[in-house]
Amino acid sequence: TDSEVAALLLGMPITPALRDGIREIADGNPALLQNAGYLLYQELRANRVPDPKTFARDFLSATEQFFQATWELCNDLEKILLMLIALCSLEGRLSDKRYALKGIDTIFSQKEIELNALETRGIIKREEQAGKATYSFASSLMEWWVVKNIQNSTEAELQERQKVFLNLMSHKQAEKVKDIIRLMWKNKDEVPSIFEWIGKVIAAIPKGAIKS
């Protein structure tokens, strides 16, 4: 929440834009916020304006175990749901390679219990748009981590997930999802980099991260 972000970053002379950027990558998770705050504090204490790319790399290095543990604690169904949320978010962002995930809303509506559990654990967040529930990652870096996990998966792992896919969707939909994942494998260079996933932080620092 805004109050949690404000409390954990209390006393740090940073702009509202940078605070918003930190919320985007941590979104109220105390462990992630503390890591972000510590890295910023180290720079500010030395009277340095944080370098955006260095901050991104250091933050990822400090929190990668958190994302790994979060993923490993998910069961197979939850992992597939997270993959689908990531693929929906990535839809249309693979340069000129376009794809459309049809029927995903129906799948999500049928798995509200599992999605609510992921929301309760702070992994995803739910919003209502035009009377329809939409899901996104609470942390943009968690989303990036899931996308990288998809990119680094293998054909054997994809086939192992076939049973879970078919428990969620039709055979045709499952083949479509697998084709999209294979498309990602072939176009790894076109998947947005980590720096695009933490865009608000990147944008805020050059504009003056530190309040005068």
Side-chain angles (χ1 to χ4, degrees), residues 29-49:
N29 183 288
L32 298 181
L33 284 170
Q34 286 168 3
N35 274 285
Y38 174 77
L39 291 172
L40 286 172
Y41 175 74
Q42 291 290 93
E43 293 299 296
L44 298 177
R45 188 176 65 173
N47 293 317
R48 293 191 297 261
V49 175

Side-chain angles (χ1 to χ4, degrees), residues 29 31-32 35 56-74 141-142 144-145 149:
N29 183 288
L32 298 181
N35 274 285
R57 292 191 187 100
D58 289 348
F59 183 78
L60 181 61
S61 177
T63 57
E64 193 161 11
Q65 284 187 328
F66 170 85
F67 296 124
Q68 177 74 32
T70 299
W71 177 257
E72 290 180 353
L73 286 171
C74 292
L141 272 186
M142 183 70 205
W144 174 84
W145 200 93
N149 189 279

Side-chain angles (χ1 to χ4, degrees), residues 8 29 33 42 50-51 60 98 111 114 118 124-125 161 165 183:
L8 282 165
N29 183 288
L33 284 170
Q42 291 290 93
D51 174 70
L60 181 61
R98 296 288 184 262
K111 295 298 175 183
E114 290 81 2
L118 290 170
I124 63 172
K125 54 188 178 182
R161 291 188 167 120
F165 280 135
L183 179 67

Side-chain angles (χ1 to χ4, degrees), residues 104-119:
I104 299 301
D105 291 343
T106 302
I107 294 170
F108 289 162
S109 68
Q110 293 170 347
K111 295 298 175 183
E112 285 194 0
I113 293 175
E114 290 81 2
L115 289 165
N116 287 342
L118 290 170
E119 183 181 11

